Structures are given as C-alpha cells and as structure tokens.
Amino acid sequence: MKTPEPFLFLQGFLRNPKRVGSVLPSSKFLAHKIVQSVRWDEVRTIAELGPGTGAVTRLMRAHLPNSATVFLFERDPKMRSNLKKTYPEFMFHSNASYLLKRINQEHVQQLDSIICGLPFFNFSREMRQNILSQIHTALRPGGTLVLYQYSLHMRKQLAELFEMEKIQFVPFCFPPVFLYVCLKRQDEGDSETSEWGKI
C-alpha cells in the first residue's frame, strides 16, 4: 500500500528537519506558480533539487518535451524511492552538493533550468555557497533558476550571482513562501571554470 504523500513528507521532516525544511509538501497553488515560471519552450535539460513527494514534479512532467533530460535530487531515501517508482524515466541522485558531477557523468554540461526547494536557511554557510555556486555554473547563460524559500534571506546572495527577474510572495500555502525567479546573465558563459565538477 502506497504511503500518503503528506504522511511521507511528515516522516521525512521528523527524520531530518534541517534537510526537509517543512512539515507539509508544496501546495498545488505554489506548484502551479513554480511551473508557470519556467520557460518550457527553452527546456531540454532540467534539474529539480528537493522534489520531496513530487508536488512540482508531476506538473513539470506535463510540460516537458519528450526528449528532455531530467535530474531529480532528493536526499530522503523513502521519498526518493517513491519518486523512482512514479518517474522511472528520470535520473535520480541523493545529494545536490554533487550537482555538477552528476550531470557531467550523464554527458550534460549545462542545464536550461533548475527548480530548487532546498531549505537553504537550515544549511551551513559552506554548504549553501557550494550548492549555489554549482547551480550557477550548471545553468547555461540565459537559463532560469526558480527557487522557493520561506523568507527573503537568500535575496542578497542570489542578486550577486543572477539577474533577478522577480520575487513573488505566495500566501496560499503553509507556511507562506517567497518565489524567486532568476536568470543567469548572458555574458557569463564558457569562461567559468569546471572545478566544481571535480568534487
């Protein structure tokens, strides 16, 4: 019997609250807002960091072209196992700290878009900087980062790395969320080093 998604999410939170970050999965309203922020006509490669029980993933799949390459990074083993059964065509990894290494192993150099729900507020400064740097390097110039957080604490760091397209407050979920939509600047291309991929 399949475990109900809210219960599965709550179990994950109780096992590791710093990594899961919330007691409930993303609301349908938030999931729609996230998916609407992606430029799907430009997506051939995409990663979702912290998909949880798949509230965003299920909407994302409906927009993907058949040839798209999808990476899902989920730390919680039970939620990852559940996602694998539902989305066998996607590629799964446990640790977003190895984002570049994992996509490079699949002969993907850069991504068109990244959706991220990782609870950065709970991470150490070093982990936060590591993952943000990898996200920045992994995105192609002009690529989109859609990130949702429970506060504005990431605004300064994101503005230093990306062109901030918008920050939207999404009240119809618990807890309420700030949705960041960021673009990698067009002039940041091949000059970036690939040292993060050597982790």
Side-chain angles (χ1 to χ4, degrees):
M1 184 177 177
K2 189 175 180 181
T3 306
E5 288 185 4
F7 185 66
L8 186 65
F9 206 89
L10 178 59
Q11 283 182 322
F13 176 82
L14 293 174
R15 279 194 300 272
N16 199 335
K18 286 191 174 182
R19 291 293 172 86
V20 176
S22 175
V23 297
L24 293 172
S26 300
S27 69
K28 289 183 180 179
F29 185 80
L30 173 60
H32 278 284
K33 287 287 185 185
I34 292 165
V35 169
Q36 289 167 7
S37 301
V38 177
R39 301 176 179 184
W40 292 106
D41 58 326
E42 300 177 3
V43 171
R44 296 296 176 269
T45 55
I46 187 169
E48 185 180 2
L49 314 184
T53 55
V56 176
T57 317
R58 88 173 46 93
L59 294 178
M60 180 175 77
R61 183 164 68 172
H63 288 80
L64 289 166
N66 293 331
S67 58
T69 300
V70 182
F71 299 89
L72 298 183
F73 288 79
E74 175 53 54
R75 188 78 181 209
D76 185 89
K78 287 190 176 180
M79 287 193 270
R80 189 171 66 251
S81 176
N82 234 36
L83 289 167
K84 282 183 177 180
K85 294 172 187 174
T86 309
Y87 308 101
E89 71 274 30
F90 295 167
M91 284 177 274
F92 288 86
H93 300 285
S94 64
N95 194 341
S97 295
Y98 299 97
L99 172 63
L100 275 171
K101 183 176 181 178
R102 299 307 179 214
I103 68 170
N104 290 165
Q105 284 174 342
E106 301 298 333
H107 309 290
V108 173
Q109 299 306 311
Q110 289 191 304
L111 300 165
D112 297 309
S113 187
I114 295 174
I115 295 172
C116 181
L118 298 176
F120 282 106
F121 185 80
N122 295 337
F123 294 169
S124 68
R125 181 180 178 183
E126 292 74 17
M127 181 183 290
R128 191 160 57 238
Q129 289 177 335
N130 174 30
I131 294 175
L132 277 178
S133 294
Q134 291 203 52
I135 287 173
H136 182 262
T137 304
L139 270 180
R140 65 165 174 80
T144 306
L145 167 64
V146 181
L147 182 142
Y148 51 104
Q149 301 286 293
Y150 299 110
S151 73
L152 290 169
H153 72 284
M154 294 297 293
R155 180 168 53 183
K156 183 179 178 182
Q157 280 182 283
L158 289 170
E160 290 172 355
L161 286 170
F162 300 95
E163 178 184 329
M164 197 76 72
E165 189 171 84
K166 70 175 179 179
I167 302 174
Q168 183 178 5
F169 180 63
V170 183
F172 300 113
C173 50
F174 181 81
V177 162
F178 289 95
L179 181 65
Y180 301 80
V181 182
C182 311
L183 300 177
K184 183 169 177 178
R185 297 180 180 93
Q186 289 283 0
D187 58 352
E188 299 182 66
D190 296 335
S191 61
E192 290 179 313
T193 64
S194 300
E195 64 178 291
W196 291 107
K198 298 175 185 177
I199 294 173

Coordinates of all heavy atoms in Angstrom, one line a residue, residues 28-40 56 59 63 115 146 165-166 168 179 181:
K28 N -0.7 22.8 -4.1 CA -1.0 22.9 -5.5 C -0.8 24.3 -6.1 O -0.3 24.5 -7.2 CB -2.4 22.3 -5.8 CG -2.5 20.8 -5.6 CD -3.9 20.3 -5.9 CE -4.0 18.8 -5.7 NZ -5.4 18.4 -6.0
F29 N -1.3 25.3 -5.3 CA -1.2 26.7 -5.8 C 0.3 27.0 -6.0 O 0.7 27.6 -7.0 CB -1.8 27.6 -4.7 CG -1.9 29.0 -5.1 CD1 -2.8 29.5 -6.0 CD2 -0.9 29.9 -4.7 CE1 -2.9 30.8 -6.4 CE2 -1.0 31.3 -5.0 CZ -1.9 31.7 -5.9
L30 N 1.2 26.7 -5.0 CA 2.6 27.0 -5.1 C 3.2 26.2 -6.3 O 4.0 26.8 -7.1 CB 3.3 26.7 -3.9 CG 4.8 26.8 -3.9 CD1 5.3 28.2 -4.3 CD2 5.5 26.3 -2.6
A31 N 2.9 25.0 -6.4 CA 3.4 24.1 -7.5 C 3.1 24.7 -8.9 O 3.9 24.8 -9.8 CB 2.9 22.7 -7.4
H32 N 1.8 25.2 -9.0 CA 1.5 25.9 -10.3 C 2.3 27.1 -10.5 O 2.7 27.4 -11.7 CB 0.0 26.1 -10.3 CG -0.9 25.0 -10.7 ND1 -1.0 24.5 -12.0 CD2 -1.6 24.1 -9.9 CE1 -1.8 23.5 -12.0 NE2 -2.2 23.2 -10.7
K33 N 2.5 27.9 -9.5 CA 3.2 29.2 -9.6 C 4.7 28.9 -10.1 O 5.3 29.6 -10.9 CB 3.2 29.9 -8.3 CG 1.9 30.6 -8.0 CD 1.7 31.8 -8.8 CE 0.5 32.6 -8.4 NZ 0.2 33.7 -9.4
I34 N 5.2 27.8 -9.5 CA 6.6 27.4 -9.8 C 6.7 27.0 -11.3 O 7.6 27.5 -12.0 CB 7.1 26.3 -8.9 CG1 7.2 26.8 -7.5 CG2 8.4 25.7 -9.4 CD1 7.4 25.7 -6.4
V35 N 5.8 26.1 -11.7 CA 5.9 25.6 -13.0 C 5.6 26.7 -14.1 O 6.2 26.7 -15.2 CB 4.8 24.4 -13.2 CG1 4.6 24.0 -14.6 CG2 5.3 23.2 -12.4
Q36 N 4.7 27.7 -13.7 CA 4.4 28.8 -14.6 C 5.6 29.7 -14.8 O 5.7 30.5 -15.8 CB 3.3 29.6 -14.1 CG 1.9 28.9 -14.2 CD 0.8 29.6 -13.4 OE1 1.0 30.7 -12.8 NE2 -0.3 28.9 -13.3
S37 N 6.6 29.6 -13.9 CA 7.8 30.5 -14.0 C 8.9 30.0 -14.9 O 9.9 30.7 -15.1 CB 8.3 30.7 -12.6 OG 7.4 31.3 -11.7
V38 N 8.8 28.7 -15.4 CA 9.8 28.1 -16.2 C 9.5 28.4 -17.7 O 8.3 28.3 -18.1 CB 9.9 26.6 -16.0 CG1 10.9 25.9 -16.9 CG2 10.2 26.3 -14.5
R39 N 10.5 28.7 -18.5 CA 10.3 28.9 -19.9 C 10.4 27.5 -20.6 O 11.5 27.1 -21.1 CB 11.4 29.8 -20.4 CG 11.4 31.2 -19.7 CD 12.5 32.1 -20.2 NE 12.4 33.4 -19.5 CZ 13.2 34.4 -19.7 NH1 14.2 34.3 -20.6 NH2 13.1 35.6 -19.1
W40 N 9.3 26.8 -20.7 CA 9.3 25.4 -21.1 C 9.7 25.3 -22.6 O 10.3 24.2 -22.9 CB 8.0 24.8 -20.8 CG 7.7 24.7 -19.4 CD1 6.9 25.4 -18.6 CD2 8.3 23.8 -18.5 NE1 6.9 25.0 -17.3 CE2 7.8 24.0 -17.2 CE3 9.3 22.7 -18.6 CZ2 8.2 23.3 -16.1 CZ3 9.7 22.0 -17.5 CH2 9.2 22.3 -16.3
V56 N 5.7 19.4 -7.4 CA 6.1 20.2 -8.5 C 6.4 19.2 -9.7 O 6.1 19.5 -10.9 CB 7.3 21.0 -8.2 CG1 7.8 21.8 -9.5 CG2 6.9 22.0 -7.1
L59 N 3.5 18.2 -12.1 CA 3.2 19.3 -13.1 C 4.2 19.5 -14.1 O 4.0 19.8 -15.3 CB 2.9 20.6 -12.3 CG 1.7 20.6 -11.4 CD1 1.6 21.9 -10.6 CD2 0.4 20.3 -12.1
H63 N 4.7 19.4 -18.8 CA 5.2 20.5 -19.7 C 6.4 20.1 -20.5 O 6.9 20.8 -21.4 CB 5.5 21.7 -18.9 CG 4.3 22.4 -18.4 ND1 3.6 22.0 -17.2 CD2 3.7 23.5 -18.8 CE1 2.6 22.9 -17.0 NE2 2.6 23.8 -18.0
I115 N 14.9 24.0 -10.8 CA 13.9 24.3 -9.8 C 14.4 23.8 -8.5 O 14.9 22.7 -8.4 CB 12.5 23.5 -10.2 CG1 12.0 24.1 -11.5 CG2 11.5 23.7 -9.0 CD1 10.8 23.3 -12.0
V146 N 14.4 28.8 -10.6 CA 13.2 29.0 -9.9 C 13.4 28.4 -8.5 O 13.5 27.2 -8.4 CB 11.9 28.4 -10.6 CG1 10.7 28.8 -9.8 CG2 11.8 29.0 -12.0
E165 N 14.8 38.3 -11.9 CA 13.6 38.6 -12.7 C 12.4 39.1 -11.8 O 11.7 40.0 -12.1 CB 13.2 37.4 -13.6 CG 12.2 37.8 -14.6 CD 11.9 36.7 -15.6 OE1 11.2 35.7 -15.3 OE2 12.6 36.7 -16.7
K166 N 12.2 38.3 -10.8 CA 11.1 38.7 -9.8 C 11.2 37.9 -8.5 O 11.8 36.9 -8.5 CB 9.7 38.5 -10.5 CG 9.3 37.0 -10.6 CD 7.9 36.9 -11.1 CE 7.5 35.4 -11.3 NZ 6.1 35.3 -11.8
Q168 N 8.3 36.9 -5.7 CA 6.8 36.9 -5.6 C 6.5 36.2 -4.2 O 6.9 35.1 -3.9 CB 6.1 36.1 -6.7 CG 4.6 36.1 -6.6 CD 4.0 35.5 -7.8 OE1 4.7 34.9 -8.7 NE2 2.7 35.5 -7.9
L179 N 8.9 33.2 -3.8 CA 9.3 32.5 -5.0 C 10.2 33.5 -5.8 O 9.9 34.6 -6.1 CB 8.1 32.3 -5.9 CG 8.3 31.5 -7.2 CD1 8.8 30.1 -7.0 CD2 7.0 31.5 -8.0
V181 N 12.6 34.1 -9.1 CA 12.8 33.7 -10.5 C 14.0 34.5 -10.9 O 14.0 35.7 -11.0 CB 11.6 34.0 -11.4 CG1 11.9 33.5 -12.8 CG2 10.4 33.3 -10.8

